[in-house]
């Protein structure tokens, strides 16, 4: 027992002063305040990126819910059996959501083709123009809905590496401080290492929601795009049938007049 006590008293890192020293403050604010300037800049950048990520997430949740609700309401009116001309006059002139925009593009092209003298409305050229107009509109509307998703796709993979850079820099700074103080006790080492690791934690807290949200919203956008494409296909078929019926009635009228 006497030998153990004597050996402990020879170790300069174990003494009454160190044992009585208060524990270091490892709260997030304290870790930020005592971090090196480069690590502080990394932390500030990650916090700003995290706020931006959550702003995009909230915006996309609201936007997708609104687009789905408006699409449901419009499809109910579209399939209610009312006049397509009345529906175009109500929604097609100034469409305020993607489904109405697709309908407006198709109906508008159909009307413009019908005003051309002598045009065969049942021709393949008219059908292609209508399909192309709706396809371009779908692409434009989806680009508008998917705005800022690339931000999530960028921040998700990059944020952990930014946090890791702050960690590496912080550890280097901590080791330099330890070397200058010539003290390797845990009380001296722990705060610097904690400040460095806090940057990695911020990077993960920023990246994880960004990656999860990007995958979630990408799936939702793909499903909505398929819904618009399905509507465009059905609407094109309806216009094609109406065109063929109109041409058939005109031909029948011409035959009757000749008789």
């Amino acid at each position: 027992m006497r030998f153990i006590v004597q050996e402990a008293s020879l170790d300069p890192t174990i003494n009454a002063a160190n044992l009585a020293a208060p524990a270091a403050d490892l709260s997030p604010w304290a870790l930020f305040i005592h971090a090196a300037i480069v690590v502080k800049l990394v932390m500030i950048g990650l916090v700003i990126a995290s706020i931006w990520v959550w702003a995009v997430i909230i915006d996309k949740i609201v936007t997708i819910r609104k687009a789905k609700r408006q699409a449901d309401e419009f499809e109910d009116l579209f399939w209610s059996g009312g006049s397509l001309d009345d529906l175009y006059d109500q929604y097609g002139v100034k469409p305020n959501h993607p489904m109405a925009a697709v309908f407006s593009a198709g109906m508008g092209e159909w009307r413009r083709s019908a005003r051309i003298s002598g045009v065969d409305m049942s021709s393949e050229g008219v059908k292609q123009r209508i399909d192309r107009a709706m396809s371009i509109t779908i692409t434009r509307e989806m680009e508008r809905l998917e705005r800022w998703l690339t931000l999530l796709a960028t921040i998700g993979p990059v944020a952990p590496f930014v946090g890791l850079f702050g960690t590496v820099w912080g550890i280097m700074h901590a080791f330099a401080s330890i070397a200058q103080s010539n003290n390797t006790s845990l009380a001296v080492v722990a705060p610097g290492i904690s400040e460095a690791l806090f940057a990695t934690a911020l990077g993960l807290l920023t990246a994880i929601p960004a990656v999860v949200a990007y995958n979630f919203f990408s799936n939702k956008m793909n499903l909505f795009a398929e819904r618009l494409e399905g509507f465009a296909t059905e609407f094109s078929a309806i216009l094609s049938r109406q065109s063929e019926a109109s041409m058939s009635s005109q031909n029948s009228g011409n035959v009757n007049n000749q008789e």
Side-chain angles (χ1 to χ4, degrees), residues 20 24 69 96 135 138-139 148 177-178 182 194 207 221 226 246:
R69 184 181 70 254
N96 57 358
S135 177
I138 291 174
T139 301
W148 301 118
S177 300
I178 292 170
N182 293 323
S194 300
M221 293 297 179
E226 292 176 358
S246 176

Side-chain angles (χ1 to χ4, degrees), residues 5-170:
V5 173
Q6 288 176 352
E7 288 294 327
S9 63
L10 294 177
D11 189 350
T13 63
I14 303 177
N15 51 50
N18 284 333
L19 293 176
D25 186 1
L26 300 181
S27 64
W29 178 249
L31 294 176
F32 171 77
I33 291 298
H34 297 99
I37 183 62
V38 175
V39 183
K40 285 182 180 178
L41 293 177
V42 169
M43 292 179 181
I44 292 173
L46 290 173
V47 170
I48 294 174
S50 180
I51 295 173
W52 205 346
V53 165
W54 282 105
V56 173
I57 291 174
I58 295 173
D59 174 72
K60 289 307 166 189
I61 290 175
V62 174
T63 300
I64 292 176
R65 286 182 177 178
K66 182 179 179 181
K68 290 179 65 177
R69 184 181 70 254
Q70 291 173 332
D72 292 340
E73 295 173 354
F74 184 83
E75 282 191 315
D76 289 341
L77 291 174
F78 181 83
W79 296 111
S80 63
S83 171
L84 293 180
D85 290 325
D86 293 341
L87 190 62
Y88 180 78
D89 294 336
Q90 183 179 359
Y91 290 96
V93 178
K94 293 182 179 180
N96 57 358
H97 58 87
M99 187 75 74
V102 174
F103 169 78
S104 175
M107 193 68 182
E109 183 61 34
W110 188 77
R111 281 188 168 188
R112 287 189 292 270
S113 298
R115 287 196 293 265
I116 300 176
S117 177
V119 68
D120 183 5
M121 293 299 294
S122 62
S123 65
E124 188 66 23
V126 173
K127 184 178 185 301
Q128 289 180 356
R129 287 198 299 271
I130 293 173
D131 292 342
R132 190 179 302 112
M134 290 191 290
S135 177
I136 293 173
T137 301
I138 291 174
T139 301
R140 183 176 62 249
E141 291 297 320
M142 291 309 302
E143 288 177 352
R144 183 178 62 83
L145 289 177
E146 293 173 355
R147 185 176 56 181
W148 301 118
L149 278 186
T150 53
L151 178 70
L152 299 181
T154 302
I155 291 179
V158 172
F161 292 100
V162 175
L164 183 60
F165 168 76
T167 297
V168 172
W169 190 278

Side-chain angles (χ1 to χ4, degrees), residues 127-242:
K127 184 178 185 301
Q128 289 180 356
R129 287 198 299 271
I130 293 173
D131 292 342
R132 190 179 302 112
M134 290 191 290
S135 177
I136 293 173
T137 301
I138 291 174
T139 301
R140 183 176 62 249
E141 291 297 320
M142 291 309 302
E143 288 177 352
R144 183 178 62 83
L145 289 177
E146 293 173 355
R147 185 176 56 181
W148 301 118
L149 278 186
T150 53
L151 178 70
L152 299 181
T154 302
I155 291 179
V158 172
F161 292 100
V162 175
L164 183 60
F165 168 76
T167 297
V168 172
W169 190 278
I171 291 176
M172 291 170 56
H173 183 266
F175 283 164
S177 300
I178 292 170
Q180 291 177 359
S181 63
N182 293 323
N183 192 344
T184 59
S185 66
L186 186 60
V188 175
V189 176
I193 302 300
S194 300
E195 295 159 11
L197 293 176
F198 185 53
T200 297
L202 285 178
L204 294 176
L205 289 175
T206 303
I208 292 174
V211 172
V212 173
Y214 176 77
N215 293 332
F216 176 79
F217 291 131
S218 294
N219 181 56
K220 292 293 184 182
M221 293 297 179
N222 291 335
L223 292 176
F224 193 74
E226 292 176 358
R227 181 178 182 180
L228 293 180
E229 292 171 357
F231 172 79
T233 301
E234 292 176 339
F235 183 44
S236 178
I238 291 174
L239 293 179
S240 179
R241 286 194 297 268
Q242 286 192 355

